[in-house]
């Protein structure tokens, strides 16, 4: 293949022309979001029963925050959340499909809403912590709503609700910070590859 048929990144121009098509970009990004949801489901399944409310957010919420920062599109969080719930069936997350769809679908939707707020950017550490903390507290609210309809909630309500809420908030914030660090690492790596490709292209011309 001649140099004229390659872009500055060394990619075939025909491939780049496909990427310039809006529908192709949307399809690829959607598949990436679905894959991230699968990663989150596997991570959630691998969490240990530590008896600490919300600790698994470090595993499942982290990839969602990183994915929402990398693919900054409306609905990205919702797609990843619903994907996580659906992947949870073959992966073996021990909740019903309807429960999982509500649990993680609403969390992903909350992530999207928080990321759309004025002056909030999921691509900076404070914005990422805020967005993820909101998403995780929505998950906690979903769990609490289910608990309120149960006949065995008295002890939970009296002795555990504030502690559990605090743990969800703390683990949600920690997961978001890790997710932001992953995003920054991916961005730095991408910039480095782009810079090196442009440098090689300049030397070859």
């Amino acid at each position: 293949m001649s140099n004229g048929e390659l872009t500055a990144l060394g990619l075939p121009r025909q491939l780049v022309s496909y990427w310039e098509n809006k529908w192709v970009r949307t399809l690829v990004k959607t598949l990436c979001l679905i894959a991230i949801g699968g990663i989150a489901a596997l991570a959630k399944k691998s969490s240990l029963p530590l008896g600490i409310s919300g600790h698994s957010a470090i595993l499942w919420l982290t990839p969602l925050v990183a994915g929402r920062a990398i693919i900054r599109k409306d609905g990205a969080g919702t797609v990843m959340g619903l994907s996580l719930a659906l992947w949870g069936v073959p992966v073996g997350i021990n909740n019903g499909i309807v429960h999982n769809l509500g649990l993680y679908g609403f969390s992903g939707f909350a992530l999207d809403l928080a990321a759309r707020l004025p002056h909030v950017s999921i691509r900076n550490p404070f914005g990422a912590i805020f967005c993820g903390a909101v998403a995780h507290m929505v998950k906690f609210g979903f769990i609490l709503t289910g608990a309120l309809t149960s006949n065995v909630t008295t002890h939970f309500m009296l002795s555990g609700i504030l502690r559990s809420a605090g743990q969800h908030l703390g683990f949600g914030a920690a997961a978001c910070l890790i997710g932001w660090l992953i995003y920054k690492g991916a961005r730095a790596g991408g910039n480095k590859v782009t810079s090196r490709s442009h440098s090689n292209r300049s030397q070859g011309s």
Side-chain angles (χ1 to χ4, degrees), residues 133-151:
V134 168
H136 207 216
M137 291 309 292
V138 166
K139 173 180 176 286
F140 174 73
F142 187 88
I143 294 172
L144 182 60
T145 300
L148 289 172
T149 64
S150 171
N151 294 324

Side-chain angles (χ1 to χ4, degrees), residues 145-197:
T145 300
L148 289 172
T149 64
S150 171
N151 294 324
V152 291
T153 62
T154 304
H155 180 267
F156 170 77
M157 291 296 293
L158 293 178
S159 66
I161 185 169
L162 292 179
R163 181 180 62 205
S164 183
Q167 289 170 342
H168 272 78
L169 185 61
F171 282 115
C176 298
L177 186 57
I178 297 171
W180 176 79
L181 289 172
I182 292 173
Y183 154 72
K184 288 294 288 185
R187 183 177 180 181
N191 289 340
K192 187 174 182 180
V193 170
T194 301
S195 176
R196 182 176 298 176
S197 297

